[in-house]
Amino acid sequence: ADQENAAWLRSTFPDDGQNGEERKAYWFAIAHPESDEPIGEIGLVEISWPDRRAGLSILVLPGSRRVGVGREAIELLVEWAQGELGLHRIELHTLPENAPMQSLAEASGFLREGVLRDYTFEGSRFVDNVVYARLPKPGPVQS
């Protein structure tokens, strides 16, 4: 966690070289509102265009957490994904012990759907993931 600073963060951005609807991910830096220094990253990952679904990944550096930047970034990304890209379901997975991320997901309009048992292999063991999802807010019925 000591290397979690702006220079390290820049080095984590993938250069996927993809374009159009073939893209499986979009990544964005989260910048400090005054200094413009990168303080986090947010992305749409594992995009399934046929299913109009994507995962959401977010990291805010420790010194910039709990001041609303994560929630604002999630709101901007989800609105863009559902409005401009036409995606329907945005999922967020986190570890059961990650209470701050679960609180952020719920504050950002995601609903907890359940636990995926032994979902990922981390270190030397399988770990569960809690899955959250956000669907578009219902609007007026289009005729």
Side-chain angles (χ1 to χ4, degrees):
D2 291 340
Q3 69 271 34
E4 288 188 1
N5 57 39
W8 167 80
L9 187 61
R10 284 189 200 99
S11 74
T12 67
F13 296 141
D15 180 18
D16 57 23
Q18 299 171 330
N19 57 20
E21 290 205 350
E22 299 307 305
R23 288 183 75 132
K24 298 293 182 213
Y26 288 89
W27 286 96
F28 301 94
I30 301 172
H32 189 282
E34 287 144 21
S35 69
D36 278 343
E37 274 295 299
I39 57 169
E41 66 179 7
I42 188 168
L44 292 174
V45 298
E46 299 175 10
I47 299 171
S48 169
W49 294 106
D51 298 315
R52 295 173 53 201
R53 176 182 71 228
L56 185 144
S57 176
I58 184 169
L59 169 80
V60 176
L61 295 178
S64 301
R65 293 180 183 159
R66 304 196 59 81
V67 295
V69 294
R71 187 171 170 184
E72 184 178 359
I74 288 173
E75 193 59 40
L76 290 168
L77 186 69
V78 171
E79 282 183 17
W80 177 71
Q82 291 176 334
E84 298 296 317
L85 297 182
L87 295 173
H88 181 76
R89 178 183 171 86
I90 309 298
E91 292 183 1
L92 187 153
H93 292 203
T94 190
L95 296 174
E97 59 271 19
N98 192 343
M101 182 59 76
Q102 292 178 50
S103 295
L104 176 60
E106 290 167 7
S108 301
F110 284 73
L111 295 179
R112 181 182 169 123
E113 295 188 334
V115 175
L116 302 169
R117 296 176 305 135
D118 287 356
Y119 189 72
T120 55
F121 193 77
E122 295 183 16
S124 59
R125 64 188 180 96
F126 286 99
V127 295
D128 296 348
N129 270 201
V130 180
V131 63
Y132 287 83
R134 183 163 150 185
L135 305 178
K137 293 179 178 79
V141 176
Q142 303 292 321
S143 55

